[in-house]
Amino acid sequence: MTVNEGEPFRLYRKALQYAESDPEVFLGTARRAAESILLDIALQQAVGSKPTLESLLTVLTAKGLVPPKVVLAVRTIQNYGNYGSHAQDSSGEEISAEDVQPCLNALTQLAVWYGRTTASLAEDEAQHELAGLQHKSGTTRVADSTLIVVKAVLLGCGFEQLLSRRNHRIVHVQMPWSDNLVSDVARRLLDLAVYNERRLLRMMETDEEIRSQVVPVGRVGYSMGGRNFYLLAARAGRWGRTTAEEFLANPAGAQIAVPKHSDMFDNILSAFSTDEAGLYERGVRILDVPHHLGLELFHLNGDVLAVGGQNLRMHARQNDAYFELLNSEMLPAPAQAKLRSAASNVLLANRSWLDELKMRPEQLHQELMRCFHDLDADEDRFEELVRDLVAHAVFPQESTPLSREELVRHVLFESYRLGRP
């Protein structure tokens, strides 16, 4: 289960595009985006309401589903939307980009809350679905994913063929990328999963159930070959003329937009060889944003530095207005080593499941990895993998089929040295 990046975020991005170029259009689109966000929350929570901003806000607030700060943000958007409608009917009154700044701030606050809320709802729904899947003899439950790096392993390792030879059928369960994957394997709600190795080892250190029930089968590669960290900047912004060396020597005043509860935030700490308090002491401020946000971050603040996934990175590389102020290869060797270690992913399995199959972890890992790396010598299988990933992985809504294929091929080469650069 993944967070839906549908109509609400499409309208949010569209509104941002007009914030400076056409503020009047921005105000109307902002109101539509707010209405779409509240409607999606109402649908997910099975709350009945008329599909109007006022009705949705009234019903959701009464049920405690919208916190007071967010109510204030929606009211701000609503009031500015009304102002924009009346201004358009008045002669000679023009709305400037500066006039709509409070509405822009309120819309971003609403989008951040929505991103966190829908992620939580998706996690809850996935857990509910998983709890309803009873364990059956001869069935293997695999944590599925729409992340390119993980999905490539699941599609390319030959799980189904290997397990069918042992009279097992696979049930794919769509799961968000989170620590719950490890806990679910420990409780045998899942039998197999791919997850970040560093996170797994940390959990095994502190959780006895995980330590006794979860077996690290073996590494399945490094996301982007360990070079997945970057800080994206706008050439027209504050850092446009700054070198990586100058930035590392004095990052004071930097505002880094990143989902705080993520491995991307961990990578920032590794890159600076410090903790969150250390960043604060160096004058670096962290802006906690939902992972959905892309280059539109720079519409909000041209001086911000962005950290995101490979979708955002590839999108930026196609636009001369942005550059990587800092990336893995610009860092000192010790920091690069930390980041490479943090990028490793591992296949993990439930101990009882392994016992049922009478397979040793190293045996399972060897068979799967042999099948995976044979892809490079089998052009038909490799091209089929590319097509499957283009069809089933997650991409920005505005991406084209060609850009999706380019991203898939890039990630496969950088992460697994499959295909060509």
Side-chain angles (χ1 to χ4, degrees):
M1 188 74 186
T2 56
V3 175
N4 177 27
E5 296 190 37
E7 186 68 1
F9 276 106
R10 185 190 73 80
L11 288 170
Y12 172 64
R13 291 189 175 99
K14 183 177 180 180
L16 292 182
Q17 293 171 4
Y18 287 110
E20 292 186 6
S21 63
D22 196 333
E24 289 185 2
V25 173
F26 161 75
L27 292 177
T29 311
R31 183 184 176 111
R32 288 172 57 206
E35 188 174 278
S36 183
I37 285 172
L38 294 185
L39 179 59
D40 192 46
I41 294 296
L43 291 173
Q44 292 188 58
Q45 296 283 16
V47 175
S49 170
K50 294 180 181 179
T52 64
L53 187 61
E54 181 62 37
S55 296
L56 287 163
L57 185 60
T58 299
V59 172
L60 292 175
T61 302
K63 290 185 175 294
L65 296 174
V66 181
K69 287 184 179 180
V70 176
V71 172
L72 181 60
V74 175
R75 290 296 185 199
T76 299
I77 297 166
Q78 184 181 39
N79 290 334
Y80 269 84
N82 293 337
Y83 166 67
S85 298
H86 295 150
Q88 290 170 9
D89 296 333
S90 302
S91 59
E93 186 171 4
E94 188 172 317
I95 303 174
S96 69
E98 185 177 352
D99 292 334
V100 303
Q101 189 63 44
C103 183
L104 179 59
N105 294 338
L107 181 61
T108 300
Q109 182 183 353
L110 176 61
V112 169
W113 169 78
Y114 173 66
R116 293 172 183 160
T117 301
T118 48
S120 177
L121 290 171
E123 184 84 33
D124 290 345
E125 185 175 340
Q127 289 298 316
H128 179 73
E129 178 184 350
L130 192 58
L133 289 174
Q134 296 182 351
H135 170 64
K136 297 180 181 178
S137 178
T139 297
T140 293
R141 290 162 296 179
V142 178
D144 205 348
S145 176
T146 54
L147 300 174
I148 296 174
V149 169
V150 178
K151 190 74 171 178
V153 172
L154 299 176
L155 290 173
C157 274
F159 280 109
E160 296 198 18
Q161 297 89 329
L162 184 149
L163 292 174
S164 67
R165 295 195 294 269
R166 289 163 174 79
N167 299 316
H168 265 242
R169 70 178 186 91
I170 286 186
V171 175
H172 294 276
V173 187
Q174 196 69 47
M175 298 294 296
W177 178 263
S178 75
D179 289 351
N180 282 335
L181 290 175
V182 182
S183 301
D184 291 336
V185 171
R187 293 183 292 156
R188 205 167 179 192
L189 295 173
L190 292 168
D191 298 300
L192 279 173
V194 174
Y195 197 50
N196 180 267
E197 185 177 38
R198 182 171 66 175
R199 295 295 300 170
L200 170 63
L201 295 178
R202 284 181 181 173
M203 295 177 73
M204 293 182 76
E205 288 176 357
T206 59
D207 191 309
E208 172 58 32
E209 181 182 34
I210 290 173
R211 191 162 52 247
S212 63
Q213 299 300 323
V214 175
V215 179
V217 173
R219 283 181 182 168
V220 293
Y222 295 82
S223 295
M224 300 305 292
R227 296 183 297 276
N228 55 336
F229 169 75
Y230 64 91
L231 278 179
L232 191 66
R235 294 191 187 278
R238 169 180 176 174
W239 307 99
R241 298 183 180 276
T242 306
T243 66
E245 293 77 12
E246 291 169 342
F247 177 74
L248 287 171
N250 181 21
Q255 299 180 70
I256 302 178
V258 61
K260 196 168 182 181
H261 300 287
S262 70
D263 54 351
M264 289 182 280
F265 178 63
D266 289 343
N267 285 344
I268 291 174
L269 300 181
S270 295
F272 283 90
S273 298
T274 188
D275 54 15
E276 189 172 358
L279 285 180
Y280 184 79
E281 289 175 2
R282 298 184 68 178
V284 177
R285 179 186 173 199
I286 297 296
L287 306 177
D288 188 10
V289 300
H291 72 275
H292 310 276
L293 299 189
L295 294 178
E296 62 268 16
L297 282 165
F298 296 98
H299 290 280
L300 304 173
N301 183 347
D303 296 333
V304 76
L305 299 173
V307 177
Q310 298 310 310
N311 284 331
L312 176 62
R313 189 178 211 175
M314 293 298 287
H315 195 186
R317 287 181 177 178
Q318 297 169 357
N319 191 323
D320 290 338
Y322 307 98
F323 73 105
E324 292 180 14
L325 172 62
L326 192 66
N327 61 38
S328 305
E329 297 176 45
M330 301 174 185
L331 295 168
Q336 289 191 38
K338 282 184 181 179
L339 286 168
R340 177 169 172 78
S341 176
S344 63
N345 296 320
V346 65
L347 179 67
L348 52 115
N350 179 275
R351 189 178 299 278
S352 299
W353 175 83
L354 280 171
D355 291 342
E356 285 181 15
L357 265 66
K358 297 182 172 58
M359 291 194 74
R360 301 186 309 278
E362 59 272 19
Q363 177 191 1
L364 175 61
H365 184 252
Q366 185 178 38
E367 289 195 36
L368 294 174
M369 289 299 99
R370 183 188 301 118
C371 180
F372 186 63
H373 290 294
D374 282 349
L375 280 165
D376 209 29
D378 190 331
E379 186 174 353
D380 289 340
R381 279 187 64 216
F382 176 75
E383 292 300 325
E384 182 181 2
L385 175 64
V386 171
R387 288 193 296 271
D388 284 344
L389 288 171
V390 170
H392 300 296
V394 163
F395 304 91
Q397 190 175 33
E398 66 275 9
S399 63
T400 65
L402 179 59
S403 66
R404 294 179 183 190
E405 181 179 336
E406 289 176 348
L407 178 57
V408 165
R409 293 184 185 278
H410 179 70
V411 171
L412 287 176
F413 181 79
E414 292 296 330
S415 299
Y416 304 115
R417 286 299 186 261
L418 292 173
R420 293 176 294 278

